[in-house]
Amino acid sequence: MKSVFDTLAAAGHEQVLFCADEAAGYRGIIAIHSTALGPALGGTRLLRYATDEEALVDALRLSRGMTYKNALAGMDVGGGKAVILRGAEPLDRERLFRAHGRFIERLGGRFITGEDVGTTPADMELIRRETRHVKGLAGEGGDPSPWTARGVLRAMQAAARHRWGSDDLAGRAVAIQGCGSVGSRLAAELHRLGARLIVADVEPERARRVAAELGAAVAPPDAIASAEADIFAPCALGGVLDDRAVQALRAEIVAGAANNQLLEPRHGDALAARGVLYVPDVVANAGGVLSGGADLFGWSRAEVERRVHAIHDTVLLVLEMAKADGAPPHVAAERLAEQRLRDRAAAG
Ligand code: NAD
């Protein structure tokens, strides 16, 4: 059987912490994949996992993705991620997030966190009581979701240009899976540009609200991936592009906000084989980390906007590299990220 250290070495992780504060009902994993470009930056997610192994795998995959995402976004930060295992209800969020904050503080700035699935700016305020290594507080950099939504939109426009010769999304049908913070904002931006929308959410009220506001059609959650659409936008959880979804897809482009959309890398190969243009999530959803540049590096709002806008150019570069190399886009994105990490190491 593979040892834990072999598992870490295979994906190139520097450090993984298993943290517990039983009195606070807190169990968490902090995974630091790389600090080569700077302190490891990555959100904290709060989720109920079936097993501890599932939580570990999530933290390892997500933190590695952050290294690539930050490198592709041109950010001088490394990659990390924290997961808090959702336990007994009711949650005492104050004790939970303060316990988490104490563990982050002990890392002395090697890991900087922010909001993610299941956490809010208010939770970040609780972490802040224990450590300053947290971003995305209410009234500070604020909610990254609008920037993530804008970045996904730019990624879609680039993919449309690559596939159909124009950025124009007017009249295109877009199927959005998940009407949460990002999905609902993405829907509003697409509506503004004249796209037709089909939305789904496991919380039916969220899908109904978007439908009522924007005139979107609603699909059952298990049918959204196979909806009759030009673009499929996964904006819920990871792993949605599995064998079934890849075969059922009718869209020509997949571009969305969810992290780790490919269940396994081979699903990226299968999408390419079917002629579906997949925009790698690490490139498409970088708007959120870029918005953190305001707090981290003092970027102005205009600077954040410029960089989120430029996600379009990175997507085009990745898609052109993929075409030139005869490689699927998710492989081309990894190659570009690794090239940027190597260039930085060479530059000292
Ligand atoms: P969110 O929790 O606000 O929204 C997710 C929505 O998806 C919820 O409404 C949930 O009910 C719904 N959902 C869950 N499972 C579903 C399913 N099987 N089918 C349909 N709907 C389902 O999260 P968010 O902030 O909007 O983020 C969405 C995704 O984007 C996540 O994967 C997140 O990791 C990723 N992401 C978010 C940001 C950000 O800035 N918020 C940045 C980068 C990546």
Side-chain angles (χ1 to χ4, degrees), residues 3 7 43 46 86 90 126 130 147 164 206 233 236 254 261 265 282 289 337:
S3 82
T7 305
L46 172 65
R86 196 171 179 134
L126 295 170
E130 304 290 345
W147 294 109
W164 301 312
R206 296 190 181 171
V254 176
Q261 290 166 30
V282 287
V289 289

Side-chain angles (χ1 to χ4, degrees), residues 187-269:
E189 296 234 14
L190 284 163
H191 177 71
R192 190 171 50 79
L193 295 179
R196 290 185 295 119
L197 301 172
I198 307 153
V199 297
D201 200 296
V202 287
E203 304 271 353
E205 190 44 46
R206 296 190 181 171
R208 276 200 292 270
R209 197 179 320 131
V210 172
E213 276 170 23
L214 308 174
V218 176
D222 61 358
I224 191 73
S226 57
E228 188 71 65
D230 299 301
I231 302 175
F232 173 51
C235 297
L237 292 177
V240 291
L241 298 171
D242 57 10
D243 289 331
R244 205 171 133 250
V246 167
Q247 285 315 311
L249 264 180
R250 289 197 248 174
E252 286 186 53
I253 291 171
V254 176
N259 288 307
N260 293 310
Q261 290 166 30
L262 299 172
L263 183 62
E264 291 172 28
R266 68 182 173 84
H267 294 108
D269 304 343

Side-chain angles (χ1 to χ4, degrees), residues 31-199:
I32 295 178
H33 178 256
S34 168
T35 54
L37 294 182
L41 184 69
T44 291
R45 68 172 42 182
L46 172 65
L47 215 55
R48 189 173 300 287
Y49 290 96
T51 62
D52 296 352
E53 287 71 22
E54 199 184 285
L56 175 62
V57 168
D58 213 22
L60 293 179
R61 281 182 0 146
L62 293 167
S63 57
R64 183 167 179 267
M66 286 304 296
T67 298
Y68 284 82
K69 185 192 302 193
N70 291 330
L72 287 164
M75 297 273 286
D76 285 342
V77 285
K81 201 82 178 187
V83 300
I84 300 177
L85 291 78
R86 196 171 179 134
E89 304 286 338
L91 292 178
D92 182 339
R93 290 185 97 93
E94 172 158 4
R95 295 185 79 187
L96 195 72
F97 286 101
R98 290 188 70 161
H100 188 52
R102 287 193 290 276
F103 281 101
I104 293 172
E105 175 61 16
R106 282 180 217 160
L107 285 165
R110 275 171 56 73
F111 176 67
I112 302 171
T113 201
E115 154 195 22
D116 200 86
V117 172
T119 59
T120 65
D123 298 329
M124 300 304 113
E125 299 282 356
L126 295 170
I127 293 175
R128 182 55 175 259
R129 293 196 199 157
E130 304 290 345
T131 181
R132 64 195 164 85
H133 304 301
V134 55
K135 300 292 171 194
L137 288 83
E140 209 187 65
D143 182 2
S145 312
W147 294 109
T148 305
R150 173 62 58 83
V152 171
L153 181 74
R154 295 294 291 152
M156 278 183 188
Q157 289 174 320
R161 173 175 291 261
H162 186 87
R163 172 55 59 103
W164 301 312
S166 158
D167 283 1
D168 192 4
L169 297 174
R172 296 284 178 192
V174 184
I176 301 178
Q177 180 182 47
C179 300
S181 308
V182 178
S184 58
R185 287 182 172 90
L186 175 65
E189 296 234 14
L190 284 163
H191 177 71
R192 190 171 50 79
L193 295 179
R196 290 185 295 119
L197 301 172
I198 307 153
V199 297

